[in-house]
Amino acid sequence: MKLPAFEYACPTSISEAVALLASHGGEAKPLAGGQSLVPMMAFRVASPSLLVDLRKLAELRQIRITQDGVTLGAMVRWCDILEDARLKTAHPLLVAAVEHVAHYQIRNRGTVGGSIAHADPAAEMPGIVVTCDAQIAVMGKAGARTIAAGDFFHGPLMTALKADEIITEIRFPFWPAKRRFGFQEFARRRGDFAMAAAAVFYDDDGGKARNAHVGVIGVADRPLRLASVEAVINGQKINDAVIAEAEAAASAAVNPADDIHASGAYRRALVGVMVERALKDAAV
Amino acid sequence: MKNTFIGASIERREDLRFLRGRGTYVDDLQVPGLLYAVILRSSVAHGRLRSVDASAVLKIEGVHAVITAKDMTSKDYPSGVPIVPMRLQPLPEFQPYEQPVIAYQKVRYVGEPLAVVLASSVALGEDALEHIAVEIEELPAVSTWQAASDNKGVLFDTTGTNRSLTFEARKGDADTAFKDAPYTRREQMRTGRHYGLTMEPRGVMAEWDAANNKLTVSGAAKVPFFNRRILAKQIGLPESDIEMIENDVGGGYGARGEFYPEDFLIPFAAKHVNRPVKWIEDRRENLMAMNHARETEADLEIACHRDGTIIALRGEIHTDMGAYMRTNGAVGARNAPQFLTGPYRVPHHKVDSHLWMTNKTPVGTYRGPGRFEGSFYMERLLDMVAADLGIDRIELRRRNLIGKAEHPYKLATAQPTNAHDQTDSGDYEATLDRCLKEFNYTDVSKLGGKLIEGKYHGIGVACFIEGGAAGPKESARLEINDDGTITVFMGTASVGQGVETIYAQIAADALEVPIERIRHVYHGSTGIVSDGYGAYHSRSVVMGGSAVLDATQKFMGLLREAAAKRLDCAASSVTLDVDKVIGGSASLPLKEFAGLTAEGAFLNHKHTYSYGTHAAHITVDARLGHIEILDYVVVQDVGRAINPLTVRGQVIGSLVQGLGGAVLEDLKYDGQGQFLTGSLADYLLPTASDFPNLRCFVTDDHPSPINPLGAKGAGEGGIVAAGGCLANAVANALQTFRVEPRALPLSPTYIWQLVQDARNPDPSS
Amino acid sequence: MPVRFQVNGKPVEVEVEPRLTLADCLRHHLRLTGTHVGCEHGVCGACTVLVDGAAVRSCLMLAVQAEGAKVVTVEGLSLDEGLTPLQASFRKHHALQCGFCTPGMITTAHALLSAEPDCDADRVREVLSGNLCRCTGYISIVEAVLDARSAYKKAGS
């Protein structure tokens, strides 16, 4: 499983990186942590002609926390998130999800930008950016633009990124301290991709939920926000009856296919359970 | 000085190199002029092979040569492409189903070798693969045993059937016994395909020295002497021209070390191009090219008295054999029907086992072959019987366990191989009692079926026996080194089980010298003893250890004679004291006898049976279909524990493999024979966080009477009962739903579906 | 292209194709065969080495990405004579059988214990869940790592 041959460049600026990507007719790929791209190349299902290594772009490694929210540079690694104590309060849902990502060694190399760009339908980070309405900042030969997370994922391993674009930042809206949230994932083994997972949050408005966000992964070709479930929750006191209704709405909202790890019927039921348990966590 | 190295938890000498990264596995070997072999494998499951055209590849820089079937159908090979013969149960009925070393005229499974590229690097070789033009006229794939039995698609035109053989396991007269039986129960169950994946994939390095007519093959394991015999015939060399070297081996479990196509292809390539050649299997290949195992389906019926004592067992087992009969492919399919009864007394037995060829990777043994499957079937039946008859599950087992006064107890006989077997010794009920005690069964069993904090608690128990010590023979040799230390040479092989330490313990005790005097223990390679039989069927301690004992006796005999001459005393008065040979009033350092060597052997035709009990306390989250093991206890009696530390390692290690096969591991194909579990992200192995709560207790209260050590093979007991024990625990947990697991693996979808089906029974079924 | 980095405290310079992984570079170019290759797709952990102190999968890293880095392999975590406390603990607990996963276990455990000498059993299992072992069943490995904690705790703390 040796890698196919490719050219390699290690630019020292974002503009240089973009120029390199633009120069190879769509056959060049950025290399971030390599934890998703290199295995694909080992199986020869990806064969880029040029790898543009982003490791020297120090400006992509920042974690910025302001009153506008949390901004993660695209090259921020999972271990950086877990080691940054500020994030436990600045964005606890992000931290809760990242605790499920992969394994120790992968967390030392894998990046948030790499995970988003790779767009595995069962990966946690795409689920979190969709749930939280994050903005994905990218830079390409046409300049900088921002893509809403909801518009970013087009299908399994497919995104809105053009061949010459790299993700520069992921911007999460401000997370109020009193916000209620829950994250539930079920995987066959610790660190595996999710069979299904749910991320939920809402704000408390005099005992009733408001601004509910419900996102799920592992049950479609991309992460989904479940508007029908949010509609069940919004304006309600979160009690057992509402939670049961939310669970049913979540299962009804998805149509997962059978695959080698689970049947569609199972995943459909599972996502309901994940939503239910995430809501129970949020209510505590 | 009476030594007691045997029975002591001696730290392993092998560890000194493994811990420091100084092991030598086959991929660590390098020689000048080495070429790397990369194998083109079929991506089609079934078809007529029209052509393999590598002409475009030969023009690529870095590619040295490409081997195809054409190279084996020249005048040098008048019989054509060599066939890999079976090693165990080599019945004439199996011959048409044996595998050619390279696909020839037909391809029969995804992964079958089509060509071998020899290149200056593995990467260049892999680059070259896509330039080989292969023409295959596709045929419909036979992807299940049912499709194989329908006979619409036939893999082997010469036989016209996909059923290579049926084994018959018989004892008494089951049909008559069933006629009058007061109670019977019939069930259809199945076990999923998985395999003995080794962390080190396979590898072969071959060096041909034309000037000296010497072929050296590294990467051997398990049965190097037997493999040399096959290779010699296939390649047209005398055995004495071939040396098989066993290096450090990264796991075996039955799967590594059998003769595979690559074991011919790589030496052939080296001889063909007159350059050393190394092939290292990558993981993608290993998943589709190393022997698969364990895919069976059973239709079994048990007959009992009203008090639960078993009268008879009958039925059929179907094994999905994959595309070819591998060297030991028949073992599991023969063991399952024969040893299904496990440690239980079953007077009448009639089970047929049908071997079905399908367009999948061929099947071989995996630790406890056929026994894991059989134990699952038997243990599930026993729990169902207990529930039907209103008898406590443990009491039911007590009534049926073979008693210690009943040994040797005759097991069913398997035909057509005329395989007789019997137990040797042991108190099976004692290990049951010990297990229940350590497990705190009296208290814990009360939780069975209870829903606590959203999870159902379940308790399962299963008893097992493990057959070991396959004969007919094993060899060992002792030799005095220049410095007066001693080297032991073994005909058995290492698969990581710690043989270097074990044999040093046995030799040191027998010679009554400190263990450091046994400086080296070498194993596996063909140059070191006159003949050897290898490591399988948990035979290394019994066969190898007993051979060591015989070798030490012969060694002392020769030493006494030699010393008597030099010390001018009676041979019978000579003693060995650490590093001195003493006779009469004089002595000589042992190094004065450097070069003195003696070979010993142990001949045996009986099997040992270590035995024990598993007990599991689990929770099942019925909404996730997820099992968590809260406590799992194995008690195993091994006859005589040579090294308790390493025996416990075998029990826990084999147990985790069993749990992997019971819950996680599943090799999958689609209807076109396409292999779906092509990476370790799809084929799920147990990790450190999956099964943390395991305990084992090893006893040696009942030595085996069939060998001088009293030991019993004990490498496979942990795996045998894992599936049955866990499935019984799931049934116990979900008893409110009346759920009966009848299949392995116990995947989340499967458990969840069982609960759904129980909640919403289909009125039409 | 040329790559310069440090391995086990010594500077090295190799001439490699970009596609060569760090694992293959260590094993074949530098003949440090202690690091093992078990899957080449980032799952089994047998290839774990330390890069600038962090445990990484060397099969997923290109050798060219190691430019300027400090790489430590199992050989660099070993003594010329005898065993380190971590290795001795593995031996005492029989935390290895065939030895193939062992270098990855040693490097990963060393990284964990160096950063978290007070880690508990759950943390050890979590961290080691990225290293596959087929022989031992893991129980003895976790015991060995826990038993080695005392050697990593700073004196007086």
Side-chain angles (χ1 to χ4, degrees), chain B residues 206 236 511 612:
Chain B
L511 296 174

Side-chain angles (χ1 to χ4, degrees), chain B residues 193-404:
Chain B
R193 200 179 195 84
H194 54 288
Y195 81 120
L197 179 153
T198 53
M199 287 319 301
E200 183 204 7
R202 296 177 297 142
V204 182
M205 186 173 85
E207 301 165 81
W208 170 239
D209 178 355
N212 295 301
N213 283 326
K214 182 137 184 268
L215 178 63
T216 307
V217 181
S218 302
K222 194 183 188 194
V223 285
F225 283 84
F226 186 82
N227 291 348
R228 178 173 66 171
R229 199 159 302 136
I230 300 180
L231 179 61
K233 268 212 191 84
Q234 292 177 334
I235 209 165
L237 289 171
E239 280 183 49
S240 52
D241 278 9
I242 302 176
E243 188 179 349
M244 313 282 280
I245 299 180
E246 180 176 279
N247 311 98
D248 287 322
V249 171
Y253 326 122
R256 163 194 262 109
E258 291 295 327
F259 199 97
Y260 285 86
E262 298 87 358
D263 294 301
F264 170 82
L265 291 172
I266 306 308
F268 173 82
K271 193 159 177 284
H272 194 75
V273 302
N274 210 10
R275 291 269 299 269
V277 174
K278 181 162 78 162
W279 168 73
I280 301 297
E281 184 180 56
D282 63 36
R283 185 58 65 188
R284 192 187 60 93
E285 279 184 291
N286 175 264
L287 285 155
M288 69 171 76
M290 190 177 236
N291 286 340
H292 287 187
R294 305 251 206 266
E295 186 173 5
T296 67
E297 199 160 327
D299 183 350
L300 295 169
E301 198 175 2
I302 191 170
C304 303
H305 292 294
R306 284 272 150 210
D307 70 352
T309 48
I310 302 167
I311 301 170
L313 198 63
R314 72 179 172 189
E316 289 182 291
I317 298 176
H318 301 274
T319 301
D320 185 316
M321 296 300 303
Y324 294 103
M325 289 305 300
R326 281 253 158 100
T327 52
N328 60 5
V331 173
R334 194 281 316 267
N335 284 359
Q338 188 180 14
F339 303 124
L340 178 53
T341 52
Y344 302 107
R345 188 185 311 108
V346 178
H348 303 283
H349 185 116
K350 181 186 176 194
V351 179
D352 288 345
S353 169
H354 309 290
L355 283 63
W356 298 103
M357 312 311 293
T358 61
N359 293 118
K360 297 177 182 170
T361 299
V363 155
T365 61
Y366 172 30
R367 211 165 186 172
R371 298 182 197 265
F372 172 90
E373 302 90 298
S375 171
F376 169 69
Y377 296 140
M378 192 68 184
E379 292 294 338
R380 286 269 57 229
L381 281 173
L382 289 178
D383 267 21
M384 292 174 187
V385 166
D388 283 350
L389 296 178
I391 298 171
D392 173 79
R393 304 182 287 161
I394 304 300
E395 185 52 37
L396 180 74
R397 285 170 172 82
R398 282 190 201 287
R399 289 180 192 170
N400 288 293
L401 280 174
I402 295 161
K404 82 181 163 194

Side-chain angles (χ1 to χ4, degrees), chain C residues 117-118 152-157:
Chain C
D118 289 314
Y152 284 79
K153 288 184 189 172
K154 289 189 176 52
S157 67

Side-chain angles (χ1 to χ4, degrees), chain B residues 437-626:
Chain B
K437 171 168 162 271
E438 298 291 348
F439 182 72
N440 193 15
Y441 182 83
T442 317
D443 291 334
V444 172
S445 58
K446 296 185 178 123
L447 297 172
K450 288 203 160 53
L451 178 64
I452 302 168
E453 286 174 18
K455 295 184 183 154
Y456 292 92
H457 286 246
I459 281 78
V461 174
C463 304
F464 69 91
I465 53 175
E466 175 199 332
K473 184 185 172 187
E474 195 46 82
S475 310
R477 182 167 68 84
L478 268 62
E479 183 170 327
I480 302 175
N481 304 321
D482 289 348
D483 61 355
T485 60
I486 293 165
T487 294
V488 176
F489 298 90
M490 296 306 303
T492 53
S494 166
V495 286
Q497 71 279 54
V499 293
E500 293 167 30
T501 305
I502 302 282
Y503 294 139
Q505 289 173 257
I506 295 172
D509 263 15
L511 296 174
E512 299 188 336
V513 297
I515 199 169
E516 299 72 38
R517 302 305 301 170
I518 312 298
R519 190 166 172 84
H520 294 292
V521 177
Y522 295 121
H523 49 80
S525 305
T526 53
I528 62 180
V529 290
S530 61
D531 69 353
Y533 291 76
Y536 55 98
H537 198 246
S538 292
R539 67 192 298 277
S540 296
V541 165
V542 175
M543 297 300 296
S546 300
V548 168
L549 285 183
D550 188 55
T552 56
Q553 278 167 22
K554 296 201 162 70
F555 173 85
M556 285 307 298
L558 286 180
L559 182 61
R560 287 197 181 97
E561 273 175 40
K565 286 202 183 88
R566 294 192 47 187
L567 294 169
D568 196 27
C569 63
S572 56
S573 71
V574 172
T575 57
L576 172 61
D577 180 12
V578 185
D579 57 351
K580 282 199 312 281
V581 185
I582 303 168
S585 53
S587 74
L588 281 168
L590 188 60
K591 65 182 178 189
E592 286 291 313
F593 300 90
L596 186 138
T597 184
E599 189 166 310
F602 182 62
L603 302 169
N604 172 43
H605 293 277
K606 294 189 174 151
H607 295 142
T608 60
Y609 276 94
S610 76
Y611 56 92
T613 299
H614 291 212
H617 176 192
I618 69 170
T619 59
V620 179
D621 184 325
R623 303 175 75 204
L624 303 181
H626 181 61

Side-chain angles (χ1 to χ4, degrees), chain A residues 115-117 119 125-127 129-130 148-155 158-160 222-223:
Chain A
S115 172
I116 305 289
M125 194 64 189
V129 299
V130 163
D151 298 328
F152 188 81
F153 300 98
H154 290 184
M158 296 189 293
T159 69
R222 70 195 82 178

